[in-house]
Structure formats: C-alpha cells, structure tokens
C-alpha cells in the first residue's frame, strides 16, 4: 500500500458538511480528487479551508495529462513534497504537522516513517545497481540523496 493511500483529509466530516456532500476520508481517493479538480461547491467552504484546499489543488493536481487527476501526477508530486520536507531535516512527526498546516491533510507518523525507510532501501538498491553498472556519477548522486534522506 502506497503512502498516498494513507493520507487523510483533516476534519473530513466538517468538510463534507460544509460541502453538503459526502467525501471519502482519503485525500487521494477518486471522489475527493473529483471534488477538488472540478471545484464544485468550494465557495461553500470557510475562507481558511478554501485557501488550503485551493493550495492542495494547485500544488498537486496541476498537470497537463489527459487523465488528470487520475494520471498519477498528484501522488508523485505529493511524494516529492514529503521527500523535500525530509531533506529539510524534518522527522515524521514534523512532516505530519507541516502537511496538516499546509494542506489540511494528515498521516500517521509511523506510516511516514515507513515510507521514508522504504525510500532509503530503494536508494540503497539503486546505489548498488549504479556501482555494478559502473555509473560512478549516478552512484555518487544516489549516495548523496540516500544520506540526506537517512539523516
């Protein structure tokens, strides 16, 4: 199960109530993405909530793919966002706090830690492949990325 399956809308019941429709708790579920992408009913949200929802939409749902928002770009962009937060030195608890502040979404710290651990393991495998393949430049770049992620 991908980390994006474990990203949830904070106060999703309150949000559903304001929108006068049910939305799933998962931030990357189809009905949630539809509501965000189409923007239907967003005028019903209070200003602070609307601002965060629009930020989420602009930062993660903005791409030129024909299948948007079902092209995978929103999930990839969100994964990149999580990795950038980690690169800034934030731990799992702080990452959850920042994503909640930025976009009104949350995850459990253990799920974020598991995602980061899996990312390090993936980089270790890529580092080994680059070394075997003799791709010294790629090997060094992957090693730096792994070190930044693991600190």
């Amino acid at each position: 199960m991908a980390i994006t399956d474990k990203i949830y809308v904070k106060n999703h019941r309150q949000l559903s109530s304001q929108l006068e429709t049910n939305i799933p708790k998962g931030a990357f579920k189809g009905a949630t993405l539809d509501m965000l992408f189409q923007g239907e009913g967003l005028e019903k949200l209070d200003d602070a909530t609307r601002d965060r929802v629009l930020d989420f939409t602009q930062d993660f749902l903005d791409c030129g793919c024909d299948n948007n928002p079902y092209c995978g770009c929103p999930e990839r962009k969100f994964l990149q966002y999580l990795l950038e937060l980690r690169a800034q030195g934030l731990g799992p608890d702080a990452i959850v706090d920042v994503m909640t502040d930025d976009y009104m979404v949350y995850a459990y710290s253990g799920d974020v830690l598991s995602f980061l651990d899996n990312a390090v393991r993936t980089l270790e495998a890529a580092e080994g492949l680059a070394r075997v393949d003799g791709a010294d430049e790629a090997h060094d770049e992957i090693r730096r990325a792994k070190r930044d992620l693991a600190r």
Side-chain angles (χ1 to χ4, degrees), residues 33-86:
L33 292 176
D34 281 344
M35 185 272 302
L36 295 174
F37 189 69
Q38 294 168 5
E40 293 177 17
L42 293 184
E43 70 279 353
K44 298 175 185 176
L45 299 175
D46 62 69
D47 290 342
T49 302
R50 185 179 326 111
D51 288 346
R52 287 191 179 132
V53 167
L54 290 173
D55 287 344
F56 183 91
T57 302
Q58 290 171 344
D59 291 348
F60 303 113
L61 301 184
D62 187 23
C63 76
C65 296
D66 290 339
N67 294 335
N68 189 11
Y70 304 108
C71 54
C73 289
E75 292 86 348
R76 282 190 293 279
K77 288 178 181 183
F78 195 82
L79 295 178
Q80 184 64 40
Y81 166 73
L82 293 178
L83 293 172
E84 288 170 3
L85 292 176
R86 179 63 184 144

Side-chain angles (χ1 to χ4, degrees), residues 24-150:
K25 192 173 184 178
F28 290 94
K29 299 292 184 192
T32 306
L33 292 176
D34 281 344
M35 185 272 302
L36 295 174
F37 189 69
Q38 294 168 5
E40 293 177 17
L42 293 184
E43 70 279 353
K44 298 175 185 176
L45 299 175
D46 62 69
D47 290 342
T49 302
R50 185 179 326 111
D51 288 346
R52 287 191 179 132
V53 167
L54 290 173
D55 287 344
F56 183 91
T57 302
Q58 290 171 344
D59 291 348
F60 303 113
L61 301 184
D62 187 23
C63 76
C65 296
D66 290 339
N67 294 335
N68 189 11
Y70 304 108
C71 54
C73 289
E75 292 86 348
R76 282 190 293 279
K77 288 178 181 183
F78 195 82
L79 295 178
Q80 184 64 40
Y81 166 73
L82 293 178
L83 293 172
E84 288 170 3
L85 292 176
R86 179 63 184 144
Q88 294 171 20
L90 300 179
D93 291 333
I95 289 172
V96 170
D97 290 343
V98 170
M99 76 169 76
T100 301
D101 289 345
D102 286 351
Y103 302 111
M104 286 183 53
V105 296
Y106 72 95
Y108 295 103
S109 297
D111 290 334
V112 173
L113 179 61
S114 179
F115 164 72
L116 295 172
D117 184 58
N118 287 337
V120 169
R121 302 296 162 246
T122 300
L123 288 173
E124 286 174 346
E127 181 183 19
L129 290 172
R131 184 175 44 250
V132 168
D133 201 31
D136 295 335
E137 189 175 316
H139 175 264
D140 292 342
E141 183 179 333
I142 293 167
R143 186 169 13 114
R144 279 191 298 276
K146 181 184 76 172
R147 185 182 58 237
D148 290 346
L149 195 56

